[in-house]
PDB file of all heavy atoms in Angstrom:
ATOM      1  N   LEU A 300       0.839  -1.190  -0.001  1.00 94.00           N
ATOM      2  CA  LEU A 300       0.031  -0.035   0.075  1.00 94.00           C
ATOM      3  C   LEU A 300       0.727   1.168  -0.028  1.00 94.00           C
ATOM      4  O   LEU A 300       0.575   2.206  -0.660  1.00 94.00           O
ATOM      5  CB  LEU A 300      -0.952  -0.061   1.202  1.00 94.00           C
ATOM      6  CG  LEU A 300      -1.900   1.182   1.385  1.00 94.00           C
ATOM      7  CD1 LEU A 300      -2.827   1.210   0.020  1.00 94.00           C
ATOM      8  CD2 LEU A 300      -2.675   1.083   2.638  1.00 94.00           C
ATOM      9  N   TYR A 301       2.000   1.266   0.775  1.00 93.00           N
ATOM     10  CA  TYR A 301       2.911   2.291   0.834  1.00 93.00           C
ATOM     11  C   TYR A 301       3.507   2.577  -0.561  1.00 93.00           C
ATOM     12  O   TYR A 301       3.645   3.656  -0.953  1.00 93.00           O
ATOM     13  CB  TYR A 301       3.918   2.034   1.938  1.00 93.00           C
ATOM     14  CG  TYR A 301       5.125   2.832   1.794  1.00 93.00           C
ATOM     15  CD1 TYR A 301       5.168   4.126   2.521  1.00 93.00           C
ATOM     16  CD2 TYR A 301       6.286   2.615   1.041  1.00 93.00           C
ATOM     17  CE1 TYR A 301       6.361   4.967   2.418  1.00 93.00           C
ATOM     18  CE2 TYR A 301       7.346   3.288   1.118  1.00 93.00           C
ATOM     19  CZ  TYR A 301       7.490   4.538   1.694  1.00 93.00           C
ATOM     20  OH  TYR A 301       8.554   5.320   1.689  1.00 93.00           O
ATOM     21  N   GLY A 302       3.884   1.553  -1.167  1.00 91.00           N
ATOM     22  CA  GLY A 302       4.438   1.699  -2.568  1.00 91.00           C
ATOM     23  C   GLY A 302       3.526   2.271  -3.507  1.00 91.00           C
ATOM     24  O   GLY A 302       3.917   3.092  -4.319  1.00 91.00           O
ATOM     25  N   VAL A 303       2.335   1.796  -3.435  1.00 93.00           N
ATOM     26  CA  VAL A 303       1.100   2.293  -4.518  1.00 93.00           C
ATOM     27  C   VAL A 303       1.036   3.793  -4.222  1.00 93.00           C
ATOM     28  O   VAL A 303       0.985   4.638  -5.152  1.00 93.00           O
ATOM     29  CB  VAL A 303      -0.100   1.539  -4.305  1.00 93.00           C
ATOM     30  CG1 VAL A 303      -1.266   2.165  -5.107  1.00 93.00           C
ATOM     31  CG2 VAL A 303       0.105   0.158  -4.882  1.00 93.00           C
ATOM     32  N   ILE A 304       0.805   4.263  -2.987  1.00 94.00           N
ATOM     33  CA  ILE A 304       0.705   5.534  -2.566  1.00 94.00           C
ATOM     34  C   ILE A 304       1.899   6.526  -2.997  1.00 94.00           C
ATOM     35  O   ILE A 304       1.753   7.547  -3.635  1.00 94.00           O
ATOM     36  CB  ILE A 304       0.399   5.819  -1.056  1.00 94.00           C
ATOM     37  CG1 ILE A 304      -0.978   5.141  -0.712  1.00 94.00           C
ATOM     38  CG2 ILE A 304       0.293   7.257  -0.762  1.00 94.00           C
ATOM     39  CD1 ILE A 304      -1.126   5.117   0.717  1.00 94.00           C
ATOM     40  N   ASN A 305       3.127   5.971  -2.752  1.00 91.00           N
ATOM     41  CA  ASN A 305       4.255   6.627  -3.179  1.00 91.00           C
ATOM     42  C   ASN A 305       4.264   6.893  -4.661  1.00 91.00           C
ATOM     43  O   ASN A 305       4.586   7.961  -5.144  1.00 91.00           O
ATOM     44  CB  ASN A 305       5.528   5.912  -2.765  1.00 91.00           C
ATOM     45  CG  ASN A 305       6.168   6.317  -1.517  1.00 91.00           C
ATOM     46  OD1 ASN A 305       5.827   7.403  -0.939  1.00 91.00           O
ATOM     47  ND2 ASN A 305       7.090   5.595  -0.977  1.00 91.00           N
ATOM     48  N   ALA A 306       4.099   5.841  -5.396  1.00 90.00           N
ATOM     49  CA  ALA A 306       4.135   5.877  -6.964  1.00 90.00           C
ATOM     50  C   ALA A 306       3.066   6.936  -7.357  1.00 90.00           C
ATOM     51  O   ALA A 306       3.225   7.701  -8.276  1.00 90.00           O
ATOM     52  CB  ALA A 306       3.845   4.544  -7.430  1.00 90.00           C
ATOM     53  N   SER A 307       1.843   6.895  -6.824  1.00 92.00           N
ATOM     54  CA  SER A 307       0.744   7.834  -7.206  1.00 92.00           C
ATOM     55  C   SER A 307       1.130   9.235  -6.977  1.00 92.00           C
ATOM     56  O   SER A 307       0.931  10.057  -7.813  1.00 92.00           O
ATOM     57  CB  SER A 307      -0.504   7.423  -6.560  1.00 92.00           C
ATOM     58  OG  SER A 307      -0.921   6.158  -6.725  1.00 92.00           O
ATOM     59  N   VAL A 308       1.621   9.538  -5.780  1.00 92.00           N
ATOM     60  CA  VAL A 308       2.032  10.925  -5.399  1.00 92.00           C
ATOM     61  C   VAL A 308       3.202  11.375  -6.437  1.00 92.00           C
ATOM     62  O   VAL A 308       3.271  12.536  -6.862  1.00 92.00           O
ATOM     63  CB  VAL A 308       2.487  10.897  -3.984  1.00 92.00           C
ATOM     64  CG1 VAL A 308       3.124  12.277  -3.680  1.00 92.00           C
ATOM     65  CG2 VAL A 308       1.411  10.684  -3.092  1.00 92.00           C
ATOM     66  N   THR A 309       4.148  10.515  -6.689  1.00 88.00           N
ATOM     67  CA  THR A 309       5.284  10.797  -7.552  1.00 88.00           C
ATOM     68  C   THR A 309       4.780  11.070  -8.893  1.00 88.00           C
ATOM     69  O   THR A 309       5.173  12.103  -9.543  1.00 88.00           O
ATOM     70  CB  THR A 309       6.355   9.672  -7.581  1.00 88.00           C
ATOM     71  OG1 THR A 309       6.772   9.542  -6.324  1.00 88.00           O
ATOM     72  CG2 THR A 309       7.369  10.060  -8.501  1.00 88.00           C
ATOM     73  N   ALA A 310       3.901  10.265  -9.519  1.00 88.00           N
ATOM     74  CA  ALA A 310       3.368  10.514 -10.794  1.00 88.00           C
ATOM     75  C   ALA A 310       2.520  11.896 -10.863  1.00 88.00           C
ATOM     76  O   ALA A 310       2.539  12.551 -11.904  1.00 88.00           O
ATOM     77  CB  ALA A 310       2.579   9.237 -11.220  1.00 88.00           C
ATOM     78  N   SER A 311       1.842  12.023  -9.805  1.00 90.00           N
ATOM     79  CA  SER A 311       1.011  13.296  -9.733  1.00 90.00           C
ATOM     80  C   SER A 311       1.929  14.586  -9.809  1.00 90.00           C
ATOM     81  O   SER A 311       1.645  15.499 -10.473  1.00 90.00           O
ATOM     82  CB  SER A 311       0.103  13.316  -8.539  1.00 90.00           C
ATOM     83  OG  SER A 311      -0.587  14.545  -8.340  1.00 90.00           O
ATOM     84  N   ASN A 312       3.048  14.420  -8.963  1.00 87.00           N
ATOM     85  CA  ASN A 312       3.927  15.598  -8.999  1.00 87.00           C
ATOM     86  C   ASN A 312       4.474  15.849 -10.254  1.00 87.00           C
ATOM     87  O   ASN A 312       4.807  16.986 -10.704  1.00 87.00           O
ATOM     88  CB  ASN A 312       5.069  15.271  -7.894  1.00 87.00           C
ATOM     89  CG  ASN A 312       4.512  15.477  -6.584  1.00 87.00           C
ATOM     90  OD1 ASN A 312       3.532  16.030  -6.221  1.00 87.00           O
ATOM     91  ND2 ASN A 312       5.261  14.772  -5.542  1.00 87.00           N
ATOM     92  N   ILE A 313       4.861  14.796 -10.984  1.00 85.00           N
ATOM     93  CA  ILE A 313       5.470  14.945 -12.324  1.00 85.00           C
ATOM     94  C   ILE A 313       4.450  15.580 -13.324  1.00 85.00           C
ATOM     95  O   ILE A 313       4.829  16.428 -14.114  1.00 85.00           O
ATOM     96  CB  ILE A 313       5.881  13.464 -12.902  1.00 85.00           C
ATOM     97  CG1 ILE A 313       7.095  13.033 -12.122  1.00 85.00           C
ATOM     98  CG2 ILE A 313       6.291  13.627 -14.412  1.00 85.00           C
ATOM     99  CD1 ILE A 313       7.485  11.594 -12.410  1.00 85.00           C
ATOM    100  N   THR A 314       3.174  15.118 -13.219  1.00 84.00           N
ATOM    101  CA  THR A 314       2.151  15.704 -14.050  1.00 84.00           C
ATOM    102  C   THR A 314       2.017  17.211 -13.873  1.00 84.00           C
ATOM    103  O   THR A 314       1.925  17.997 -14.711  1.00 84.00           O
ATOM    104  CB  THR A 314       0.820  15.068 -13.708  1.00 84.00           C
ATOM    105  OG1 THR A 314       0.882  13.578 -14.068  1.00 84.00           O
ATOM    106  CG2 THR A 314      -0.337  15.530 -14.655  1.00 84.00           C
ATOM    107  N   ARG A 315       2.143  17.641 -12.563  1.00 84.00           N
ATOM    108  CA  ARG A 315       1.893  19.023 -12.195  1.00 84.00           C
ATOM    109  C   ARG A 315       3.106  19.832 -12.396  1.00 84.00           C
ATOM    110  O   ARG A 315       2.954  21.105 -12.905  1.00 84.00           O
ATOM    111  CB  ARG A 315       1.479  19.080 -10.717  1.00 84.00           C
ATOM    112  CG  ARG A 315       0.039  18.666 -10.519  1.00 84.00           C
ATOM    113  CD  ARG A 315      -0.357  18.831  -9.105  1.00 84.00           C
ATOM    114  NE  ARG A 315       0.348  18.068  -8.098  1.00 84.00           N
ATOM    115  CZ  ARG A 315       1.225  18.601  -7.332  1.00 84.00           C
ATOM    116  NH1 ARG A 315       1.680  19.845  -7.428  1.00 84.00           N
ATOM    117  NH2 ARG A 315       1.812  17.805  -6.397  1.00 84.00           N
ATOM    118  N   GLN A 316       4.332  19.362 -12.290  1.00 82.00           N
ATOM    119  CA  GLN A 316       5.493  20.090 -12.198  1.00 82.00           C
ATOM    120  C   GLN A 316       6.456  19.863 -13.396  1.00 82.00           C
ATOM    121  O   GLN A 316       7.235  20.877 -13.720  1.00 82.00           O
ATOM    122  CB  GLN A 316       6.311  19.923 -10.961  1.00 82.00           C
ATOM    123  CG  GLN A 316       5.494  20.119  -9.703  1.00 82.00           C
ATOM    124  CD  GLN A 316       6.246  19.699  -8.444  1.00 82.00           C
ATOM    125  OE1 GLN A 316       7.342  19.363  -8.466  1.00 82.00           O
ATOM    126  NE2 GLN A 316       5.480  19.729  -7.298  1.00 82.00           N
ATOM    127  N   LEU A 317       6.426  18.721 -13.968  1.00 77.00           N
ATOM    128  CA  LEU A 317       7.494  18.395 -14.978  1.00 77.00           C
ATOM    129  C   LEU A 317       6.971  17.970 -16.284  1.00 77.00           C
ATOM    130  O   LEU A 317       7.714  17.339 -17.053  1.00 77.00           O
ATOM    131  CB  LEU A 317       8.390  17.216 -14.294  1.00 77.00           C
ATOM    132  CG  LEU A 317       9.053  17.467 -12.953  1.00 77.00           C
ATOM    133  CD1 LEU A 317       9.546  16.286 -12.350  1.00 77.00           C
ATOM    134  CD2 LEU A 317      10.092  18.658 -13.216  1.00 77.00           C
ATOM    135  N   THR A 318       5.835  18.357 -16.681  1.00 77.00           N
ATOM    136  CA  THR A 318       5.154  17.930 -17.897  1.00 77.00           C
ATOM    137  C   THR A 318       4.925  19.192 -18.709  1.00 77.00           C
ATOM    138  O   THR A 318       4.374  20.232 -18.181  1.00 77.00           O
ATOM    139  CB  THR A 318       3.829  17.171 -17.687  1.00 77.00           C
ATOM    140  OG1 THR A 318       4.102  15.978 -16.918  1.00 77.00           O
ATOM    141  CG2 THR A 318       3.271  16.741 -19.061  1.00 77.00           C
ATOM    142  N   LEU A 319       5.252  19.184 -19.968  1.00 75.00           N
ATOM    143  CA  LEU A 319       5.118  20.350 -20.835  1.00 75.00           C
ATOM    144  C   LEU A 319       3.598  20.464 -20.976  1.00 75.00           C
ATOM    145  O   LEU A 319       2.896  19.620 -21.379  1.00 75.00           O
ATOM    146  CB  LEU A 319       5.821  20.233 -22.212  1.00 75.00           C
ATOM    147  CG  LEU A 319       7.364  20.281 -22.113  1.00 75.00           C
ATOM    148  CD1 LEU A 319       7.839  20.013 -23.518  1.00 75.00           C
ATOM    149  CD2 LEU A 319       7.749  21.609 -21.673  1.00 75.00           C
ATOM    150  N   THR A 320       3.154  21.776 -20.913  1.00 76.00           N
ATOM    151  CA  THR A 320       1.787  22.043 -21.303  1.00 76.00           C
ATOM    152  C   THR A 320       1.548  22.212 -22.841  1.00 76.00           C
ATOM    153  O   THR A 320       2.484  22.216 -23.534  1.00 76.00           O
ATOM    154  CB  THR A 320       1.319  23.345 -20.588  1.00 76.00           C
ATOM    155  OG1 THR A 320       2.063  24.533 -21.207  1.00 76.00           O
ATOM    156  CG2 THR A 320       1.518  23.319 -19.014  1.00 76.00           C
ATOM    157  N   SER A 321       0.295  22.284 -23.253  1.00 80.00           N
ATOM    158  CA  SER A 321       0.111  22.435 -24.671  1.00 80.00           C
ATOM    159  C   SER A 321       0.692  23.682 -25.144  1.00 80.00           C
ATOM    160  O   SER A 321       1.141  23.754 -26.251  1.00 80.00           O
ATOM    161  CB  SER A 321      -1.391  22.379 -24.964  1.00 80.00           C
ATOM    162  OG  SER A 321      -1.938  21.098 -24.532  1.00 80.00           O
ATOM    163  N   SER A 322       0.510  24.765 -24.383  1.00 82.00           N
ATOM    164  CA  SER A 322       1.071  25.955 -24.873  1.00 82.00           C
ATOM    165  C   SER A 322       2.631  26.045 -24.938  1.00 82.00           C
ATOM    166  O   SER A 322       3.260  26.586 -25.830  1.00 82.00           O
ATOM    167  CB  SER A 322       0.619  27.155 -23.986  1.00 82.00           C
ATOM    168  OG  SER A 322       1.013  26.882 -22.649  1.00 82.00           O
ATOM    169  N   ASP A 323       3.294  25.357 -23.965  1.00 78.00           N
ATOM    170  CA  ASP A 323       4.706  25.128 -23.921  1.00 78.00           C
ATOM    171  C   ASP A 323       5.113  24.430 -25.146  1.00 78.00           C
ATOM    172  O   ASP A 323       6.099  24.773 -25.860  1.00 78.00           O
ATOM    173  CB  ASP A 323       5.137  24.440 -22.718  1.00 78.00           C
ATOM    174  CG  ASP A 323       5.151  25.368 -21.446  1.00 78.00           C
ATOM    175  OD1 ASP A 323       5.068  26.517 -21.657  1.00 78.00           O
ATOM    176  OD2 ASP A 323       4.906  24.696 -20.323  1.00 78.00           O
TER     177      ASP A 323
END
C-alpha cells in the first residue's frame, strides 16, 4: 500500500511540475 501511494504521489507531482503544457 505504501508503494502504491508513493508511486501515485510521484506520478502526480510529475504531471503538475515536470510535464510540458500544450502552450509550452
Side-chain angles (χ1 to χ4, degrees):
L300 181 62
Y301 165 84
V303 169
I304 293 173
N305 260 349
S307 300
V308 170
T309 300
S311 176
N312 289 339
I313 291 172
T314 302
R315 289 186 291 104
Q316 302 171 8
L317 301 170
T318 301
L319 290 176
T320 63
S321 299
S322 58
D323 290 332

